[in-house]
Structure formats: C-alpha cells, structure tokens
Amino acid sequence: INPDQLHAVIQAAIANALKEKAGEDLRRENELRLTIHNLASQLAAAHIAPAAAEAPQIQTFAPIDIIGSVECNEPLDAVKCLPEFTGTQETYVSWRQAAKAAYRIFKDYVNSSRHYHAVVIIRSKIRGPADAVLSSFGTVLNFNAIISRLDFTYSDKRPIHVIEQEMGTLRQGNLTLLQYYDEVEEMLTLLANKATMSYDASEAKVLCGKFRDDALRVF
C-alpha cells in the first residue's frame, strides 16, 4: 500500500469514528431529554408543589394565681428539699426530674395557696446563670413555663437519631480503653437524658434499655 492509500484509509477511519461518536452523543442527548421529560410529567401528575413553611407554634403560659375556693393541704417539704440549679448543663436533667417529682403532688391543686407557694419555692431554687435566663426572658411564675424555658436553654437540641448515629460510629482508634469507655458513656448519658426529657416514663425506660444494648455493642 502506498502512502497516499494509507493516508486515505486513516482519514476514512477517523471520519467513521467521529461519525459514530456524534451518533452516540446524539443518542445520549435524546435519552437525557426523554428522562427529563418523563420526570417533569410525573411531577406534574403528582401535583407536587413546594412545601409551605410552617410557622413554629409558640406555647404561652399564664402566671399562676390564688383562688380561695381551691384548697390543698399537701406539705411543702418536698419542694423545700429540692437542690438548687445554677445552670450547669450536666446536672440539669437530674435536677429537672427532682423538680417534677416535687411538683407532682401540687399539680392537681392549681390556683391553691399551697400550689402557689410550691412554685415560688421551686423558682427560688434556680440561681446564678439559670436565674438570669429566666429573668432575661421574662418567664412568668408558672412551673411549666419555667421548665419549658430551661429545657430550651439547657437540653441537647439534636434529635435522638442523630445522637444514636454518632454513638454507632464511635471507634477506639488511638484512645486508651478508659478514654473510649468515657466516650461511649458520655453518648449513652446524652441519649438517656434526651429520652427522659422527650418521652413519658415507660417509653423512656424502654428506649434507655435499647440505648444500653447499643452502647455495649459499640464498646
């Protein structure tokens, strides 16, 4: 084969290759257009519209009062023995549980003089930075209002499933066995606290059992 013939063969091969590539590109473009068209049709058929932003619901609380017709003879010893809370996040959940237990015997006597005094005593147990939080937000004298504001300030804001995932990804790596144990224990404590604050006692107990099993598997 002479040089001219060889050049012609090469040119023909290049032309065929470019033609095939152009045909393949056109085919892919058509497939992509069809896919986009199908998706647009499905969306239109489903009448999908952007979700409207929902305004957060704000719960309001009224200050408690005393009405003479409501009587309560429960002793105030439980609320008087309540420890102080000064704004330490690590101690908030245990203090919250103690406060709820002390308040429980008075919650059915709203508007009684004894109920009013119980809430006043509980409020007086909140000192330091925690007291400043309640004062700065103008929190009314109402047990649920007080707990709601403290929950917002001192509770872990992450959803439970996020903390669960974080615990599930823990690895010892270069940590000593004791350091790794502390890491797992910290995550378990966060989960237990979150469950205690988010669910009723029976549900929280079941969840805490599950979290302990998960922690053992991680450890």
Side-chain angles (χ1 to χ4, degrees):
I1 186 171
N2 61 46
D4 290 338
Q5 291 175 325
L6 178 60
H7 178 74
V9 169
I10 293 174
Q11 289 294 98
I14 292 174
N16 287 334
L18 290 174
K19 184 178 180 180
E20 289 179 1
K21 184 177 183 302
E24 180 66 18
D25 290 344
L26 181 61
R27 185 183 65 80
R28 289 182 179 179
E29 182 180 351
N30 289 335
E31 288 179 352
L32 181 59
R33 289 179 183 275
L34 180 61
T35 300
I36 293 172
H37 175 74
N38 290 339
L39 287 174
S41 299
Q42 292 173 13
L43 289 173
H47 300 289
I48 296 177
E54 295 183 1
Q57 296 184 355
I58 300 175
Q59 187 174 8
T60 58
F61 301 93
I64 59 174
D65 203 350
I66 300 174
I67 297 178
S69 60
V70 180
E71 294 186 5
C72 173
N73 296 316
E74 297 289 349
L76 294 167
D77 296 350
V79 290
K80 289 180 179 178
C81 293
L82 185 68
E84 292 183 355
F85 176 64
T86 59
T88 304
Q89 189 169 21
E90 291 76 13
T91 64
Y92 175 61
V93 174
S94 60
W95 181 88
R96 182 182 188 271
Q97 289 178 300
K100 279 183 166 287
Y103 175 74
R104 186 177 298 118
I105 59 177
F106 300 100
K107 67 179 184 179
D108 293 330
Y109 301 97
V110 176
N111 295 327
S112 70
S113 174
R114 195 60 60 93
H115 172 269
Y116 186 92
H117 290 145
V119 177
V120 168
I121 293 172
I122 292 172
R123 176 64 180 84
S124 71
K125 298 289 184 176
I126 301 169
R127 305 288 184 88
D131 174 56
V133 166
L134 297 181
S135 298
S136 62
F137 283 95
T139 307
V140 298
L141 186 63
N142 179 304
F143 181 78
N144 292 325
I146 292 169
I147 293 299
S148 178
R149 172 50 58 186
L150 294 178
D151 281 355
F152 184 82
T153 304
Y154 295 105
S155 64
D156 194 306
K157 306 299 188 300
R158 295 173 295 174
I160 280 184
H161 74 272
V162 172
I163 307 176
E164 278 190 283
Q165 290 174 357
E166 189 172 338
M167 184 172 72
T169 59
L170 287 176
R171 297 294 182 269
Q172 182 174 353
N174 295 325
L175 299 175
T176 65
L177 186 60
L178 184 58
Q179 289 172 330
Y180 184 51
Y181 174 84
D182 289 341
E183 290 282 333
V184 176
E185 181 69 17
E186 181 180 352
M187 284 294 163
L188 179 57
T189 301
L190 285 174
L191 285 168
N193 290 345
K194 191 74 174 179
T196 299
M197 295 177 62
S198 305
Y199 299 93
D200 61 38
S202 60
E203 293 175 326
K205 184 177 180 180
V206 173
L207 282 173
C208 287
K210 174 187 180 298
F211 297 150
R212 282 192 293 272
D213 292 340
D214 292 343
L216 287 174
R217 282 194 290 271
V218 170
F219 189 71

